[in-house]
């Protein structure tokens, strides 16, 4: 880890790219890790726009305990370490594929959600907007999904189903966030790739932009990734990464952290 820390210290532009792995330390399961959601049958249908338009109950059944429980989770060590790097003036921004809003909860201010989040929902028929809190309230009234008939789908006044602003398979990425992510990747002399299998494109292609411009990429992920052979450092343990960052960049004396 010392090599990674020295690279961050010496860099002018550092960017972090995070995936579901940084949040497994908070208790949120990832997709492709050993306990991941994709071990369940039909899991790939949950976040697929064609399936949503055919039958939104597939999403609401599958996401009930994932997306709508997110308000209960608190940031973990990697979220805290990245906030520390930002405070130390050593992080230009965080590109996240996560939809859990935990970087913002940790206090990081430059977060680019390239797969969106559920903070807002929109009606698929008329475009009306609803907040995460409004959808959670509707779901509470509707009750837990039980059996094949018991799936409640939150609907707008017009009758259309609400869909979260999470990017589903088959949808385009949020343009503004992705453009900013590309910009950060191009200008980074160090990119930290944290807790992602780097399998979902186009986001998974971002570290290659850094490499193409001569920047160094460090990967911290339990499983192999497609860019392992090209990186300046490869580590498996995200807790070790967080500890190393927190030790190397101590909080200013007297400052309280969440
Ligand atoms: P992924 O494909 O599930 O990969 C996660 C990676 O993290 C795996 O390769 C794991 O080996 C690794 N990992 C998990 N825990 C640890 C750990 N403690 N230490 C080291 N490595 C670990 O997830 P990606 O983010 O690559 O895939 C992109 C999808 C997943 C995005 O569209 C996300 O929206 C989606 N997702 C997000 C969340 C969330 O917001 N927390 C949760 C699950 C899935």
């Amino acid at each position: 880890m010392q090599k990674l820390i020295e690279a961050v210290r010496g860099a002018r532009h550092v960017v972090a790219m995070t995936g579901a792995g940084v949040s497994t330390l908070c208790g949120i399961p990832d997709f492709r890790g050993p306990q991941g959601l994709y071990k369940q049958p039909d899991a790939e249908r949950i976040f697929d726009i064609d399936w949503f338009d055919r039958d939104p109950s597939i999403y609401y059944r599958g996401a009930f305990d994932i997306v709508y429980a997110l308000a209960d989770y608190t940031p973990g060590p990697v979220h805290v370490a990245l906030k520390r790097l930002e405070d130390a003036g050593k992080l230009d921004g965080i590109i996240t594929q996560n939809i859990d809003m935990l970087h913002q909860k940790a206090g990081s201010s430059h977060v680019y959600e390239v797969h969106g989040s559920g903070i807002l929902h929109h009606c698929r028929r008329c475009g009306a907007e609803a907040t995460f809190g409004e959808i959670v309230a509707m779901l509470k009234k509707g009750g837990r999904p039980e059996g094949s008939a018991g799936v409640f789908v939150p609907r707008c006044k017009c009758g259309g189903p609400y869909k979260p602003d999470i990017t589903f398979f088959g949808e385009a990425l949020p343009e503004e966030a992705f453009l900013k992510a590309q910009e950060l990747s191009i200008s980074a002399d160090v990119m930290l790739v944290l807790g992602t299998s780097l399998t979902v494109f186009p986001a998974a292609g971002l570290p290659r932009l850094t490499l193409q411009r001569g920047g160094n990429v460090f990967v911290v992920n339990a499983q192999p990734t497609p860019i392992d052979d090209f990186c300046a450092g490869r580590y498996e343990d995200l807790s070790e990464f967080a500890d190393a960052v927190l030790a190397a960049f101590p909080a200013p004396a007297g400052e309280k952290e969440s």
Side-chain angles (χ1 to χ4, degrees), residues 18-21 23-25 28-34 97-100 115 195-200 220-223 236-238:
T18 63
S23 297
T24 61
L25 298 172
I28 303 173
D30 60 10
F31 276 177
R32 296 176 186 81
Q97 301 167 89
N98 292 346
I99 54 169
D100 56 27
H115 291 163
T196 166
S197 61
L198 287 183
T199 48
V200 181
V220 190
N221 199 61
Q223 293 172 316
E236 289 189 356
D237 191 337
L238 282 165

Side-chain angles (χ1 to χ4, degrees), residues 24-48:
T24 61
L25 298 172
C26 318
I28 303 173
D30 60 10
F31 276 177
R32 296 176 186 81
Q35 312 299 326
L37 177 72
Y38 279 11
K39 297 281 181 283
Q40 290 175 28
D42 293 339
E44 298 200 17
R45 292 182 182 179
I46 298 173
F47 295 100
D48 183 294

Side-chain angles (χ1 to χ4, degrees), residues 153-239:
V153 173
R155 289 185 185 274
C156 162
K157 282 194 199 100
C158 80
Y162 279 115
K163 178 197 163 283
D165 290 1
I166 294 169
T167 311
F168 280 24
F169 290 105
E171 287 191 301
L173 267 48
E175 201 177 322
E176 211 177 300
F178 195 63
L179 279 175
K180 188 65 197 176
Q182 285 176 312
E183 231 174 73
L184 285 171
S185 306
I186 287 168
S187 62
D189 37 22
V190 168
M191 178 186 272
L192 307 173
V193 174
L194 308 170
T196 166
S197 61
L198 287 183
T199 48
V200 181
F201 282 84
L206 291 168
R208 289 182 194 272
L209 295 180
T210 303
L211 289 169
Q212 280 161 10
R213 293 297 176 116
N216 285 319
V217 174
F218 291 84
V219 173
V220 190
N221 199 61
Q223 293 172 316
T225 80
I227 61 157
D228 288 354
D229 290 344
F230 309 101
C231 51
R234 171 76 178 89
Y235 314 87
E236 289 189 356
D237 191 337
L238 282 165
S239 303

Side-chain angles (χ1 to χ4, degrees), residues 5-257:
I5 296 293
E6 289 314 318
V8 170
R9 279 196 210 282
R12 290 179 55 219
H13 296 290
V14 182
V15 62
M17 175 167 170
T18 63
V22 304
S23 297
T24 61
L25 298 172
C26 318
I28 303 173
D30 60 10
F31 276 177
R32 296 176 186 81
Q35 312 299 326
L37 177 72
Y38 279 11
K39 297 281 181 283
Q40 290 175 28
D42 293 339
E44 298 200 17
R45 292 182 182 179
I46 298 173
F47 295 100
D48 183 294
I49 195 62
D50 292 333
W51 280 104
F52 186 91
D53 285 341
R54 226 180 285 181
D55 180 1
S57 70
I58 295 172
Y59 164 76
Y60 280 102
R61 173 190 298 284
F64 191 87
D65 288 326
I66 309 170
V67 177
Y68 301 100
L70 286 176
D72 302 339
Y73 290 94
T74 50
V78 178
H79 302 100
V80 173
L82 294 181
K83 161 75 164 111
R84 181 77 66 80
L85 280 183
E86 180 185 301
D87 291 346
K90 292 295 342 176
L91 192 64
D92 288 358
I94 301 171
I95 301 166
T96 189
Q97 301 167 89
N98 292 346
I99 54 169
D100 56 27
M101 304 164 276
L102 288 179
H103 289 299
Q104 293 92 327
K105 255 194 198 173
S108 293
S109 38
H110 303 293
V111 182
Y112 302 95
E113 294 172 316
V114 291
H115 291 163
S117 83
I119 196 84
L120 289 178
H121 285 54
H122 284 91
C123 169
R124 279 297 277 173
R125 196 178 291 167
C126 73
E129 188 177 289
T131 64
F132 184 78
E134 286 167 339
I135 299 293
V136 169
M138 287 187 216
L139 287 170
K140 270 194 186 143
K141 265 197 199 157
R144 270 193 76 76
E146 314 268 3
S148 54
V151 184
F152 172 78
V153 173
R155 289 185 185 274
C156 162
K157 282 194 199 100
C158 80
Y162 279 115
K163 178 197 163 283
D165 290 1
I166 294 169
T167 311
F168 280 24
F169 290 105
E171 287 191 301
L173 267 48
E175 201 177 322
E176 211 177 300
F178 195 63
L179 279 175
K180 188 65 197 176
Q182 285 176 312
E183 231 174 73
L184 285 171
S185 306
I186 287 168
S187 62
D189 37 22
V190 168
M191 178 186 272
L192 307 173
V193 174
L194 308 170
T196 166
S197 61
L198 287 183
T199 48
V200 181
F201 282 84
L206 291 168
R208 289 182 194 272
L209 295 180
T210 303
L211 289 169
Q212 280 161 10
R213 293 297 176 116
N216 285 319
V217 174
F218 291 84
V219 173
V220 190
N221 199 61
Q223 293 172 316
T225 80
I227 61 157
D228 288 354
D229 290 344
F230 309 101
C231 51
R234 171 76 178 89
Y235 314 87
E236 289 189 356
D237 191 337
L238 282 165
S239 303
E240 198 188 313
F241 162 81
D243 289 346
V245 167
L246 293 171
F249 299 93
E255 198 163 290
K256 227 177 131 222
E257 276 180 330

